[in-house]
C-alpha cells in the first residue's frame, strides 16, 4: 500500500517537493515486528483510528531534520510511548 503510493513520486519529479507519511490502525514499523512485536509501544506513534495519509513539504521536513536528529525523535517517541 505505502510503496504503491510512494513509488510514483520520484519518476514524476515531485519527491523533492512532497513526502507522504502513512498512519493506519494496524501500523507496525518495518523493524517493529522483530524488535517489539505488533503491540510494541513505538508502533502506536503511527497508528490512527482510520487509514490516513499526511502530505508534507519536503523542504520543511529537511529544515526540521537539521534542528533535531531524526534518530533522537524516534528514540524519544518510543520511550515516551512505553511509559503510557
Amino acid at each position: 500500500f505505502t510503496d504503491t503510493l510512494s513509488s510514483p513520486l520520484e519518476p514524476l519529479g515531485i519527491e523533492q517537493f512532497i513526502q507522504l507519511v502513512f498512519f493506519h490502525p494496524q501500523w507496525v514499523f518495518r523493524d517493529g515486528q522483530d524488535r517489539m512485536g505488533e503491540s510494541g509501544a513505538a508502533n502506536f506513534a503511527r497508528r490512527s483510528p482510520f487509514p490516513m495519509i499526511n502530505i508534507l513539504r519536503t523542504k520543511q521536513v529537511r529544515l526540521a531534520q537539521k534542528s533535531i536528529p531524526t534518530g533522537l525523535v524516534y528514540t524519544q517517541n518510543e520511550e515516551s510511548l512505553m511509559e503510557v
Side-chain angles (χ1 to χ4, degrees), residues 9-20:
L9 298 181
E10 187 176 349
L12 291 172
I14 58 176
E15 189 175 50
Q16 62 185 338
F17 303 109
I18 65 168
Q19 293 180 7
L20 304 179

Side-chain angles (χ1 to χ4, degrees), residues 1-2 7 12-13 16-18 22 26 30-32 35-38 43 53 57 62 68 73-76 78 80-81:
F1 170 72
T2 59
S7 60
L12 291 172
Q16 62 185 338
F17 303 109
I18 65 168
F22 300 93
Q26 298 170 346
R30 288 183 183 150
D31 68 340
R35 291 187 323 109
M36 65 191 91
E38 275 188 33
N43 292 317
I53 302 169
R57 294 181 180 150
R62 298 286 181 251
I68 300 174
V73 171
Y74 178 84
T75 304
Q76 287 177 340
E78 186 174 8
S80 295
L81 287 166

Side-chain angles (χ1 to χ4, degrees), residues 4-80:
T4 301
L5 295 176
S6 297
S7 60
L9 298 181
E10 187 176 349
L12 291 172
I14 58 176
E15 189 175 50
Q16 62 185 338
F17 303 109
I18 65 168
Q19 293 180 7
L20 304 179
V21 179
F22 300 93
F23 296 84
H24 191 275
Q26 298 170 346
W27 181 270
V28 177
F29 280 101
R30 288 183 183 150
D31 68 340
Q33 181 70 27
D34 296 334
R35 291 187 323 109
M36 65 191 91
E38 275 188 33
S39 61
N43 292 317
F44 286 88
R46 296 282 283 287
R47 289 195 181 166
S48 63
F50 303 99
M52 177 174 39
I53 302 169
N54 283 359
I55 301 171
L56 304 178
R57 294 181 180 150
T58 301
K59 186 176 180 179
Q60 292 177 332
V61 172
R62 298 286 181 251
L63 286 172
Q65 287 174 333
K66 288 180 183 178
S67 64
I68 300 174
T70 306
L72 179 63
V73 171
Y74 178 84
T75 304
Q76 287 177 340
N77 285 347
E78 186 174 8
E79 290 171 0
S80 295

